[in-house]
Amino acid sequence: MQRKPIVAGQFYPGTPSECLDEIKQCLEEAILNMPLPETIVAGIVPHAGWTFSGSTAAIVFNAIKKRHTKVDTFVIFGAAHGYLGQPPAVYDKGSWLTPMGEIHIDEELAKAVLESGAAVSDPQAHDSEHSMEVQVPFIQHLFPEARLLPILTPPSDLAVHLGEIIASLIASDDERKIVCLGSTDLTHYGPRYGFAPMGSGKDALKWATEVNDRMFLDYALKMQPKELLNSAAENLNACGPGAAAATVASAKALGKTKGVLLAHTNSSEIMLHKMGSSSRESVGYAAVIF
């Protein structure tokens, strides 16, 4: 099996040279201005188009590279935007293609996850999901030998169980470095998204970032995956809460006691910075490591 890219040329460049140029630009903008933990086992990254969230995602990849020159496998827990199934869905064989080339699936780890019963094999569920694909070129550039394990992760307690199972498999593998990534954006605010409980204007967008996003992030930083899931269900402050919950659960099971927030912004702020004008709508983005 070989998954071909579905958002190359839309969410990120569609040619190798343009893709590499934008990756380098994102990494240059990915400024790390705080101490990092000695080891990094997991991270939370956004998944909008690179113009908006690429630099925020790059901060996480930059941090991982600074602490671990080699990563053998990245487990990516993806948002389930269009997946209607209940169990997490694994892409368990073959490879993925992006403009940066081919990356192989960690079939051994995939088999172990499936045998645990924490997820099911469903490669077709990944056909139209972009939240993991937009991370892959960063991995291919910074960790060219790494393999991939993509798992679509709906928002339920099954996500927490999956994270714990992944952690147990990682802990039992002394020979390889495996890092988990959860792909989620935060509050989608404004008329376009059908969510504007505070009305419109600067104060409303400020609330979306400083109150609604922050509620979700605080649960992540405090390693509370179930509360994180509940917050997302009640407050609509993440589109990939299952992915984030699995990430937090895995990091907690691997011994981490808190997360580190590396960056937090939103699409309106980025538009103002890059294009000189803001928007009535806003989507939150955060970079977190554990």
Side-chain angles (χ1 to χ4, degrees):
M1 295 187 297
Q2 192 174 69
R3 182 190 183 275
K4 296 180 180 179
I6 61 164
V7 291
Q10 301 173 49
F11 278 56
Y12 63 98
T15 68
S17 60
E18 291 174 328
C19 203
L20 181 58
D21 286 346
E22 191 158 345
I23 287 172
K24 289 180 177 178
Q25 180 181 338
C26 288
L27 289 169
E28 287 174 3
E29 296 170 353
I31 299 170
L32 289 168
N33 54 12
M34 61 188 68
L36 300 176
E38 289 187 10
T39 62
I40 297 174
V41 301
I44 292 175
V45 288
H47 56 237
W50 285 2
T51 298
F52 289 97
S53 71
S55 297
T56 304
I59 294 174
V60 172
F61 290 108
N62 200 4
I64 295 169
K65 186 67 175 180
K66 284 186 178 297
R67 281 292 178 258
H68 307 286
T69 56
K70 181 184 178 184
V71 175
D72 295 287
T73 295
F74 281 90
V75 177
I76 305 185
F77 302 112
H81 289 108
Y83 175 60
L84 301 179
Q86 287 298 313
V90 181
Y91 197 106
D92 59 319
K93 287 185 173 64
S95 63
W96 280 30
L97 292 178
T98 79
M100 297 293 288
E102 184 178 30
I103 184 169
H104 292 280
I105 299 299
D106 188 333
E107 296 184 6
E108 179 184 355
L109 184 58
K111 181 180 178 182
V113 173
L114 295 176
E115 288 177 348
S116 75
V120 298
S121 171
D122 192 351
Q124 289 186 336
H126 292 251
D127 287 349
S128 60
E129 178 56 58
H130 71 276
S131 63
M132 292 164 283
E133 179 185 325
V134 296
Q135 319 302 337
V136 175
F138 287 101
I139 294 171
Q140 291 171 303
H141 174 61
L142 291 172
F143 305 93
E145 302 302 318
R147 289 186 290 174
L148 187 67
L149 181 57
I151 309 178
L152 268 174
T153 313
S156 74
D157 287 343
L158 295 174
V160 178
H161 177 60
L162 171 66
E164 293 169 346
I165 290 295
I166 293 287
S168 69
L169 295 172
I170 292 173
S172 65
D173 191 336
D174 296 329
E175 297 181 355
R176 300 188 300 159
K177 175 62 180 176
I178 301 172
V179 173
C180 298
L181 294 174
S183 180
T184 187
D185 293 339
L186 303 178
T187 305
H188 291 53
Y189 193 93
R192 176 182 176 186
Y193 304 109
F195 181 69
M198 306 302 290
S200 59
K202 290 183 179 179
D203 288 344
L205 297 186
K206 183 177 180 181
W207 173 87
T209 299
E210 296 184 4
V211 177
N212 212 43
D213 281 3
R214 190 67 210 201
M215 194 183 313
F216 183 87
L217 289 172
D218 283 346
Y219 286 127
L221 299 174
K222 293 175 183 177
M223 316 297 290
Q224 296 177 310
K226 291 185 178 180
E227 290 82 354
L228 178 154
L229 285 169
N230 291 336
S231 177
E234 294 172 8
N235 303 296
L236 303 181
N237 49 18
C239 64
T247 304
V248 172
S250 66
K252 185 175 182 179
L254 288 167
K256 294 292 182 174
T257 57
K258 64 179 181 178
V260 178
L261 181 63
L262 300 178
H264 179 205
T265 185
N266 62 60
S267 59
S268 185
E269 289 178 355
I270 291 167
M271 281 185 66
L272 185 61
H273 173 68
K274 289 188 173 183
M275 304 167 195
S277 63
S278 58
S279 171
R280 297 172 62 198
E281 282 89 16
S282 180
V283 179
Y285 311 125
V288 180
I289 55 170
F290 302 93

